[in-house]
Amino acid sequence: MTRPAWTDAADVVVIGTGVGGLAAALAAYRVGRSVVVLNKADQTHAVTATHYAQGGIAVVLPDNDDSVDAHVADTLAAGAGMCDADAVYSIVADGYRAVRELVGDGARFDESTPGRWALNREGGHSRRRIVHAGGDATGAEVQRALDHAARRLHIRNSHVALQVLHDGTAVTGVAVGNPDGVGVISAPSVILASGGLGHLYRATTNPGGSTGDGIALALWAGVGVGDLEFIQFHPTMLFGGQGGRRPLITEAIRGEGAILVDRQGNSVTDGVHPMGDLAPRDVVAGAIDARLRATGDDCVYLDARSIKDFAARFPSVTASCRADGVDPVTQPIPVVPGAHYSCGGVITDVHGQTELPGLFVAGEVARTGMHGANRLASNSLLEGLVVGGRAGKAAAAHAEAAGPMPVTVPEPLVHTALKRRDLQTAMTRDASVVRDAVGLERLSDTLSRARMCVVQGRRDFEDVALTLTAQAVTAAALARTESRGCHHRAEFPEAVAGQDRSIVVRLADTVCAEALAVVS
């Protein structure tokens, strides 16, 4: 072990600058704690997954025909028996308060009449309850408002969280890489809000930073992760030959009457589900995948030509399509399922607390029990706001009780990594919308050939995080011998009674990345 190149201290360190991270940081700051926010990008207003969220925020308003019970019922139905009902109720019931707080920070939502928010309906929802901004630019508005409120916070760019430090009983800080080398920020409370893992795959709706960082950091710290096999593939990602991030085609378009058809003009979801094209995402993604396998086509089509004033109502989608040479006003939009959202993550309660005192988690990287086997549309921003705010307050309270931490010297940062392109190719081939044992075993063998890597920068860290996260996803997918929610096993096409429980993955040896233990 070597002494850190630099040291600092704070009450609360937040890793991530999306909705969960900034909601948490602001909550901790507002109760008087010193807060440092780590952003691995090299600019303050880096594009986050929050920014790309199109549809909106699912929230029950107090003055319409909706109810918390109805929203909870829709969430539980989408979650396919895997949601924690108490957690769902707690988060849904707190949604309106959290959205009003965001409005207090400057967010502005579309209105149907002056003073009354316009509401959309999306797949799996029995009511219109999606508040939105800029038509299909809700995430950008949420991020703008949070960025504006967070201007008073200490946000450090080009700072990569490399290791959560602890003394075996509680958190003591974070090892951080920046242009000056590897340093340590001592802190009694750390909040992981690092986002998702979409770049496990060749093509995803996620921004470049979604590399499973928080999953790896938690596993290395000895904390369990759950439900990682449930990776939601958004049914309608804009089809294109190139990999990397691809534009999302919001579900709200189907809510307004667009239909999914194959190249011959046949409905993709007819006879698959009573809600048709507005079925939960896992159902629609599975239907598209099945149709593509049957026809051999590269994509299906979302026909939105019947929607009046489409370009004005969905300006972001229109711009993305036209940039790819498709005019959605006059042409059907070519779409395929794309890696979109991790329903599982680091196991927490509804206040973001993990089993390790002082470690809190919020946003997509958390597994609160809200999403179960399949996230209901537009519940992600809701959960990020609610649990992010709660985690910030809980982390602040823990920091106040624990007091300052001594400097902990980090362990050497040596892990295994597979070449990113090879990993993404293998994951796309063997752990996509539909999996089977042959492919998953082949994937596990591929991942086992990862080589030792000394972490010397952001790219190295992301590669080791992706490799460990891929190993955890593969282990969980092999262990779930059924199809449930957004986990589809070709040889086990039905849900199995008794498997409606979480699969928890831990590191059996926190020094060896390959030593994963699966606990049902």
Side-chain angles (χ1 to χ4, degrees):
M1 293 186 290
T2 58
R3 298 296 298 178
W6 53 271
T7 61
D8 203 346
D11 293 327
V12 179
V13 176
V14 178
I15 301 168
T17 56
V19 60
L22 292 186
L26 287 166
Y29 173 84
R30 285 166 174 160
V31 295
R33 297 299 98 200
S34 62
V35 180
V36 170
V37 181
L38 303 181
N39 177 22
K40 67 179 180 179
D42 60 5
Q43 72 271 14
T44 298
H45 299 300
V47 177
T48 65
T50 297
H51 174 91
Y52 284 124
Q54 292 179 345
I57 307 172
V59 61
V60 176
L61 304 185
D63 55 351
N64 65 8
D65 65 350
D66 201 1
S67 69
V68 168
D69 286 342
H71 188 172
V72 169
D74 290 344
T75 301
L76 296 178
M82 292 290 296
C83 297
D84 180 327
D86 291 338
V88 173
Y89 190 93
S90 174
I91 294 168
V92 168
D94 203 21
Y96 181 66
R97 179 209 57 79
V99 173
R100 292 303 313 179
E101 185 173 278
L102 182 66
V103 170
D105 284 330
R108 297 291 177 263
F109 297 106
D110 297 337
E111 297 180 339
S112 55
T113 58
R116 189 174 185 85
W117 290 335
L119 299 175
N120 279 345
R121 182 186 174 197
E122 294 181 342
H125 288 274
S126 59
R127 309 278 201 286
R128 284 184 172 267
R129 64 167 68 98
I130 315 301
V131 299
H132 49 86
D136 59 357
T138 308
E141 174 61 10
V142 170
Q143 190 71 54
R144 183 202 64 77
L146 289 171
D147 283 343
H148 180 73
R151 67 194 187 282
R152 69 200 78 174
L153 298 177
H154 191 180
I155 299 177
R156 298 188 180 180
N157 302 324
S158 300
H159 279 57
V160 182
L162 302 173
Q163 186 179 351
V164 174
L165 304 174
H166 60 92
D167 59 9
T169 59
V171 165
T172 60
V174 188
V176 181
N178 72 8
D180 296 322
V182 176
V184 168
I185 303 177
S186 299
S189 292
V190 172
I191 303 173
L192 297 178
S194 52
L197 42 70
H199 283 268
L200 288 175
Y201 298 90
R202 279 201 306 257
T204 174
T205 64
N206 293 181
S210 298
T211 51
D213 301 5
I215 301 297
L217 289 169
L219 285 168
W220 289 324
V223 175
V225 299
D227 298 341
L228 286 189
E229 67 272 32
F230 299 118
I231 297 174
Q232 190 175 78
F233 288 79
H234 197 286
T236 51
M237 179 179 72
L238 184 62
F239 173 70
Q242 63 271 47
R245 196 200 81 81
R246 296 292 299 155
L248 174 72
I249 307 300
T250 177
E251 198 157 358
I253 294 174
R254 281 177 282 137
E256 295 304 305
I259 57 173
L260 282 164
V261 295
D262 60 20
R263 190 178 298 276
Q264 288 72 41
N266 302 311
S267 170
V268 172
T269 62
D270 187 31
V272 173
H273 191 278
M275 296 181 76
D277 289 346
L278 287 176
R281 289 177 174 176
D282 64 302
V283 175
V284 179
I288 294 173
D289 184 78
R291 185 60 57 87
L292 294 179
R293 289 172 184 266
T295 63
D297 292 336
D298 292 327
C299 65
V300 297
Y301 296 87
L302 183 65
D303 190 343
R305 290 176 293 179
S306 65
I307 299 177
K308 186 178 179 181
D309 299 325
F310 183 92
R313 295 175 67 183
F314 299 102
S316 300
V317 169
T318 301
S320 295
C321 289
R322 287 176 174 168
D324 259 32
V326 177
D327 184 354
V329 176
T330 61
Q331 298 171 274
I333 305 168
V335 295
V336 291
H340 181 58
Y341 193 88
S342 174
C343 297
V346 185
I347 298 171
T348 77
D349 64 16
V350 294
H351 296 276
Q353 174 67 67
T354 70
E355 62 191 277
L356 178 63
L359 181 63
F360 301 82
V361 188
E364 186 174 352
V365 69
R367 184 269 182 201
T368 63
M370 174 75 172
H371 306 308
N374 185 43
R375 175 176 66 84
L376 184 65
S378 289
N379 270 354
S380 54
L381 292 178
L382 168 71
E383 184 193 41
L385 286 172
V386 171
V387 178
R390 291 176 176 181
K393 292 174 184 176
H398 177 83
E400 183 175 22
M405 290 289 116
V407 174
T408 301
V409 179
E411 296 292 329
L413 299 171
V414 181
H415 300 289
T416 60
L418 199 65
K419 290 182 179 179
R420 190 176 302 197
R421 184 178 294 276
D422 292 344
L423 181 147
Q424 291 171 334
T425 296
M427 286 291 293
T428 300
R429 179 192 65 209
D430 295 328
S432 192
V433 178
V434 179
R435 303 94 180 258
D436 61 34
V438 172
L440 291 169
E441 293 285 3
R442 177 174 56 203
L443 174 59
S444 182
D445 181 63
T446 299
L447 293 169
S448 72
R449 296 196 292 271
R451 296 183 176 182
M452 298 303 293
C453 172
V454 178
V455 177
Q456 296 181 321
R458 171 179 170 177
R459 180 78 179 189
D460 292 337
F461 175 78
E462 289 180 342
D463 286 346
V464 300
L466 281 167
T467 300
L468 179 55
T469 301
Q471 291 168 334
V473 169
T474 303
L478 270 168
R480 185 167 294 283
T481 53
E482 63 165 355
S483 290
R484 183 184 297 271
C486 50
H487 169 73
H488 296 272
R489 286 285 295 266
E491 71 272 52
F492 302 107
E494 304 296 331
V496 176
Q499 289 204 36
D500 54 346
R501 61 188 186 277
S502 290
I503 291 173
V504 178
V505 178
R506 299 178 179 278
L507 279 185
D509 178 348
T510 56
V511 177
C512 178
E514 287 83 6
L516 286 167
V518 176
V519 183
S520 294

